[in-house]
Amino acid sequence: MKRRLGSVAVAACLLGVSVFARDQVSVQQIGVDRAQHITVIVDVTDQDGTLVPRLDREQVVVHAPGEVPTTSVRPFQSADGVGYVVLVDVSQSAQGSQQSMKEALETMIGALLPADRMALLQFGDGYTVRQEFTSDQDLLRKAAAFPERAHGRTHLYSALVKAAELARRRDSGLPLRRAIVIMSDGKNNDQDTGLMEEDVVRSLSAVGAPLYAIDAGRTVASRVTCSSTLARFATVSNGVCEAMGSRSIGEMYTRMRAAVRRVYVVEADCSGCIVDGVARDLWVEVKLSSGTPRSSTHQVTLVSPPPQPPPAPPPPVSWWKRPAGIAAIVVGLLALAGLATWLMLRSRRPVVVPEPVQIPVDVPVVAPPPPPPPAPPKALLELVVMRGSNSGKVYQLPLRDRATIGQGQLSDLRLDVDPDIAASHCELSWSDDRLIVRHVAPTGATFVNGVPIRAPRPLENHDVVRLGNTEMRVVIQRPSVT
């Protein structure tokens, strides 16, 4: 087994480029699960959408930066498995398609293969992760039960951002290949969270998993074409959007599963890559028989794992069993005997009480100089809570050099209503006229625009930062003038 230096997880949306009139190449998903091991999911199809029957190792080149040797190229196999994140709309507007959605859920759950995993999420007035990733079909069927009363609102954007977060998980045993499936009418009523359509696009692009949307709208038009919102989300993630009534449930799922598995798996050796926590471009180039290479570029960050602890020292020999230990005991007893004798003799001497010292009353007392005034802040920040227990609350934070956010007593900004926030969770600082955020807690994570940070990250005006279950939009009111 290869020695592995570090770990990252990075994914990218598909880049589909036509090659003359026949071939089409798209680098769909890149996963770097170790610094020495890069796995690339690449989709190579002809004009009819059929997988190109053969792709050799010499046709694929990985750069990270500099050419990285390609070790193998093979078609995707059932043993690789797929991690599905399934979202179901339980709002009032999609209630008319509830029976069809139940049939679709049963079809997807029953078709899971042994290596597949599925997570289930329902959304309406809010969103709820009904089941984490599992291959247990009984648990999934139990979690798929619809609520007795339909929800009045549709938090579509919040649910998709959460689904992208689930699809980024790199838990042990989860397949690298991911896909997001959503059944909804495409309506969104969660404007109070502050999330915009571009926030969803950014989250889907970061995770790289294709989104397959089934439009469950009840209008005649939605039975033929998808809503523009669902269609855009499917397009930017290299997925597909279909109307619920356009074809049978079984046929739609068969087409979706075939598209998810219609890829090649490329393995590359990155033993010479730089592992320093800095984001760099990684791109993959595919050469077809037409002679025109196509490539897709993404950013990756290679992070070294924590150093292995040193081996435990051998158990020490009891010190009193050594000759030096016996000698130390004898010397200690003699010293105690001598100290006791000296104290006994000293206690027999008369005690001399010194006369009290008179302090002149006219000695002036000099007061300490007043402390210097605090330095003016380098930036004035507004943190607007978009989601969490204090949704809608605005925090004012004057930033001088640096400030910490957490629920501890010593944090400059206390968020003590969120139990998932550490005592000192993240740190804000001002450097080179830029606002920098850094995750400082030993556990958990700090997210910027839905992406966890692993190194200090500059913040732009109106970026979204999430700690625990609290999301805040950062507004830089006035940078300092010094």
Side-chain angles (χ1 to χ4, degrees), residues 8 10 34 58 72 97 104 106 124 137 140 201 215 232 252 266 322 393 408 411-412 435 457 461 463 473:
V8 310
V10 61
R34 295 293 185 270
E58 292 76 13
S72 67
S97 300
E106 177 59 34
Q137 296 185 9
L140 289 168
V201 171
D215 190 336
R232 185 190 181 199
M252 282 193 292
V266 179
R322 303 176 183 177
K393 186 171 182 178
S411 294
D412 298 285
L435 181 61
R457 161 81 180 263
N461 202 16
D463 276 353
R473 188 177 294 279

Side-chain angles (χ1 to χ4, degrees), residues 174-193:
L174 286 183
L176 172 65
R177 183 65 166 139
R178 306 293 168 83
I180 300 174
V181 183
I182 181 171
M183 289 181 285
S184 172
D185 58 1
K187 296 180 181 179
N188 177 64
N189 307 116
D190 62 352
Q191 291 83 357
D192 55 323
T193 64

